[in-house]
Structure formats: structure tokens, C-alpha cells
């Protein structure tokens, strides 16, 4: 139980300090291609410093670099292994829901026992609203 609560606390801390989303990626964005990729927040006006979540590449004349260190921390926290674990969890929940539908013939109660949290996560990953 301690491990779960520690992970929740760590994740919530990083979520609290990272730039709000949704985040989107963009390829070469700087005037002289000094950065090869960037992540922007749609929660802030386009082109504003606040909208620049993370930019990778060579820093030149103020272009590129990390705008908010917490964003890099959050991105590092969401490493591919976390994504793989989330995918496995969503796969398992989908199997359970599919089995419930097959058994009952209805999707009325065929939600995950966590109160639809898996559906919320899936919709956010798919670009939909909670």
C-alpha cells in the first residue's frame, strides 16, 4: 500500500507543477531550425512563452530549451515503461468489460470496478474529454 500511495503523491506533485494541457507536439519550429521538436500547451496563447512546454535542440538566441523545469521532470516521470504499464492495464480492463458485455448482453454495468477511471484515461489518451 505504501508503494501505491508514494507513487500517487509523486505523480500528483509533478502534475501540480507541470504546465497545464492539453499538450501537442510540433516538428521544426524555430526560425533557423535550432530546435528539432517541441511540445506546446494549448492552455496558453499560441506563441507565448507559457505555451512552450519543452523544446529540444540547440539553444540559440533564446530559442529552444526547457521553459519550465517541472515539465521535463514530468516527461521523465512518464517514461515509456509507464506507458507500457498503462497500456497493459487498459488492455486488461477492456478484456474484463468485453467479458461482462458478452455475459450480460448490455454495457450498462460493464465498467471497470475503479469507477470508469480506465475510460477517462483512454479518452484523454485518444484526445477526447474526460
Amino acid at each position: 500500500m505504501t508503494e501505491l500511495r508514494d507513487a500517487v503523491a509523486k505523480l500528483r506533485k509533478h502534475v501540480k507543477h507541470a504546465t497545464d494541457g492539453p499538450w501537442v507536439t510540433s516538428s521544426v519550429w524555430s526560425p533557423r531550425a535550432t530546435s528539432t521538436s517541441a511540445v506546446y500547451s494549448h492552455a496558453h496563447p499560441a506563441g507565448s512563452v507559457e505555451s512552450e512546454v519543452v523544446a529540444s535542440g540547440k539553444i540559440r538566441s533564446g530559442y529552444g530549451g526547457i521553459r519550465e523545469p517541472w515539465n521535463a521532470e514530468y516527461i521523465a516521470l512518464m517514461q515509456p515503461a509507464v506507458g507500457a504499464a498503462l497500456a497493459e492495464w487498459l488492455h486488461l480492463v477492456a478484456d474484463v468489460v468485453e467479458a461482462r458485455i458478452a455475459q450480460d448482453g448490455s454495457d450498462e454495468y460493464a465498467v471497470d470496478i475503479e469507477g470508469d477511471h480506465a475510460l477517462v484515461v483512454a479518452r484523454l489518451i485518444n484526445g477526447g474529454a474526460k
Side-chain angles (χ1 to χ4, degrees):
M1 186 62 72
T2 301
E3 276 186 288
L4 294 173
R5 300 224 182 267
D6 289 349
V8 168
K10 184 174 185 176
L11 185 55
R12 285 183 176 161
K13 177 181 176 183
H14 283 74
V15 166
K16 176 184 175 185
H17 291 287
T19 300
D20 44 341
W23 290 3
V24 295
T25 59
S26 176
S27 56
V28 178
W29 60 273
S30 66
R32 294 188 193 108
T34 57
S35 182
T36 57
S37 63
V39 178
Y40 295 96
S41 169
H42 276 186
H44 300 280
S48 68
V49 172
E50 292 81 15
S51 73
E52 296 176 5
V53 176
V54 171
S56 64
K58 188 175 178 182
I59 296 174
R60 183 187 301 166
S61 302
Y63 294 107
I66 296 168
R67 298 298 181 192
E68 171 55 67
W70 276 102
N71 295 336
E73 291 283 335
Y74 182 76
I75 290 168
L77 187 66
M78 293 290 107
Q79 61 177 298
V82 173
L86 278 172
E88 190 59 34
W89 173 60
L90 292 173
H91 180 82
L92 177 64
V93 170
D95 286 350
V96 169
V97 170
E98 186 176 62
R100 288 179 184 168
I101 291 171
Q103 181 181 13
D104 182 66
S106 166
D107 64 356
E108 287 298 314
Y109 83 105
V111 297
D112 62 285
I113 59 173
E114 296 89 13
D116 277 343
H117 296 301
L119 184 57
V120 170
V121 169
R123 286 178 177 164
L124 289 169
I125 289 171
N126 292 327
K130 315 197 261 193

